[in-house]
Amino acid sequence: MATERLVVVGGDAAGMSAASQAKRRNPGLDIIVFERGSHTSYSA
Ligand SMILES: Cc1cc2nc3c(=O)[nH]c(=O)nc-3n(C[C@H](O)[C@H](O)[C@H](O)COP(=O)(O)OP(=O)(O)OC[C@H]3O[C@@H](n4cnc5c(N)ncnc54)[C@H](O)[C@@H]3O)c2cc1C
């Protein structure tokens, strides 16, 4: 079976919150976040 994958564009507050929430709800989910800058939000 193919692994489910979530792609998030933007790694600041909203993007990393969405990625974290998705991982909590589905730990097997493969998540990739694209961030054009050199830093991401790390609190989430
Ligand atoms: C002047 C100002 C002052 C503020 N001060 C505060 C404060 O003191 N405290 C506070 O809590 N909040 C503050 N905020 C609010 C806070 O900045 C925003 O609520 C928060 O950053 C929103 O996060 P976001 O993830 O929705 O959007 P953004 O922070 O805009 O994040 C979007 C991300 O997506 C990336 N991105 C965009 N397009 C692409 C692309 N095509 N490919 C890859 N990456 C991409 C960007 O590089 C960016 O990192 C302030 C806002 C402003 C405008």
Side-chain angles (χ1 to χ4, degrees):
M1 194 173 85
T3 305
E4 263 193 296
R5 178 170 288 168
L6 173 68
V7 176
V8 177
V9 178
D12 204 357
M16 295 308 276
S17 294
S20 299
Q21 180 70 281
K23 194 74 175 175
R24 275 194 290 272
R25 289 182 180 206
N26 183 355
L29 195 60
D30 192 20
I31 303 176
I32 297 176
V33 179
F34 289 103
E35 168 52 49
R36 71 178 167 190
S38 51
H39 297 93
T40 62
S41 173
Y42 53 82
S43 61

